Amino acid sequence: MRLALFDLDHTLLPLDSDYSWGQFTVTIGWRDAETHTRANDAFYEQYKAGTLDIHEYIRFSVAPLAEHGVEKSDAAHRRFMEEVILPAMRPEAIELVFRHQVAGDEVLIVTATNEFVTRPIAQAFGVPELIAIELERDAAGNPTGGIKGTPSFREGKVARVEQWLASRGLSWADVTHSSFYSDSINDLPLLEKVTEPVATNPDPRLSAIATERGWRILNLFE
């Protein structure tokens, strides 16, 4: 097996889908603009700095989903896709994913953004295999604010890829070549695990490490 792994936000997308979804909930009146934006900005700065408490952030970010229910949440996400995500998808990113698929690689999106936000985005990229943060849900299907299983964040991305392989009766030893495209210092554990790490639109800290180690740097959106 050959694996081609992709981070999503600021890697395949020129935006952060989690942050953008939060701002979209303000636009549609689900959250107070000033209060939400202040908190959302603070969490985003923590993420960029590598200090984010993912459990605290998930409790914050999924609260509107439980409040408004599955049907309204799904309808809002369809609007989000049409108004925010689809216009932001770049041909360069779509083509990169497609090239790996044509080459016969098993393509996965591996993201720290939750599955509610990202599953339709992965589908829009033509990628059926998604590793994302899975949300705990109540009997009605509403998120509780908890995380189901291991969060696909930092070293958790390595663990979740290993779980994905194990579910197919495989391990890293069965992977003849693996690549991982990411922009973020948070993804250093998985970048160090694969055969070919690709610092894609990298943040300054990842760019410095990639340069020092001779990793490929891809500025996809130039």
Side-chain angles (χ1 to χ4, degrees):
M1 174 183 283
R2 291 174 56 91
L3 283 180
L5 311 175
F6 292 90
D7 179 45
L8 180 63
D9 301 317
H10 293 296
T11 299
L12 289 178
L13 289 174
L15 51 74
D16 186 290
S17 60
D18 218 354
Y19 179 88
S20 297
W21 165 252
Q23 295 306 109
F24 185 76
T25 63
V26 171
T27 301
I28 61 177
W30 283 12
R31 282 193 160 179
D32 173 74
E34 182 178 353
T35 302
H36 174 81
T37 300
R38 182 169 58 248
N40 206 23
D41 287 349
F43 280 121
Y44 187 46
E45 290 304 314
Q46 292 167 18
Y47 173 78
K48 290 192 293 184
T51 60
L52 179 67
D53 181 332
I54 193 64
H55 295 275
E56 182 182 5
Y57 177 69
I58 289 295
R59 284 191 293 271
F60 163 79
S61 65
V62 306
L65 304 182
E67 180 182 348
H68 291 276
V70 174
E71 187 175 342
K72 286 185 177 180
S73 297
D74 288 344
H77 196 287
R78 287 192 291 271
R79 277 190 58 191
F80 175 65
M81 289 294 296
E82 293 172 2
E83 298 175 19
V84 179
I85 298 299
L86 294 179
M89 289 177 61
R90 304 283 185 85
E92 306 95 306
I94 296 169
E95 173 63 22
L96 176 61
V97 170
F98 182 67
R99 286 204 307 269
H100 278 281
Q101 291 171 327
V102 168
D105 297 344
E106 187 73 44
V107 175
L108 288 79
I109 290 176
V110 187
T111 176
T113 299
N114 72 72
E115 38 89 8
F116 169 80
V117 171
T118 56
R119 192 165 300 283
I121 302 174
Q123 291 169 351
F125 273 102
V127 178
E129 297 292 342
L130 171 70
I131 293 175
I133 287 183
E134 299 291 333
L135 301 175
E136 283 186 350
R137 296 177 183 270
D138 62 21
N142 296 311
T144 65
I147 294 173
K148 181 180 177 181
T150 302
S152 47
F153 182 55
R154 298 184 187 143
E155 61 279 353
K157 286 194 175 184
V158 178
R160 289 288 304 280
V161 171
E162 289 173 349
Q163 290 171 12
W164 182 89
L165 288 167
S167 71
R168 286 152 179 78
L170 303 170
S171 70
W172 283 108
D174 299 297
V175 179
T176 57
H177 183 274
S178 55
S179 56
F180 179 42
Y181 295 79
S182 176
D183 71 294
S184 176
I185 190 66
N186 287 292
D187 286 339
L188 191 58
L190 187 52
L191 286 163
E192 291 177 330
K193 183 70 175 178
V194 297
T195 311
E196 182 186 4
V198 185
T200 309
N201 319 312
D203 64 34
R205 293 169 66 190
L206 180 58
S207 181
I209 290 173
T211 299
E212 178 185 339
R213 299 186 184 182
W215 292 352
R216 181 182 167 204
I217 296 176
L218 174 62
N219 292 304
L220 191 58
F221 301 132
E222 281 191 345

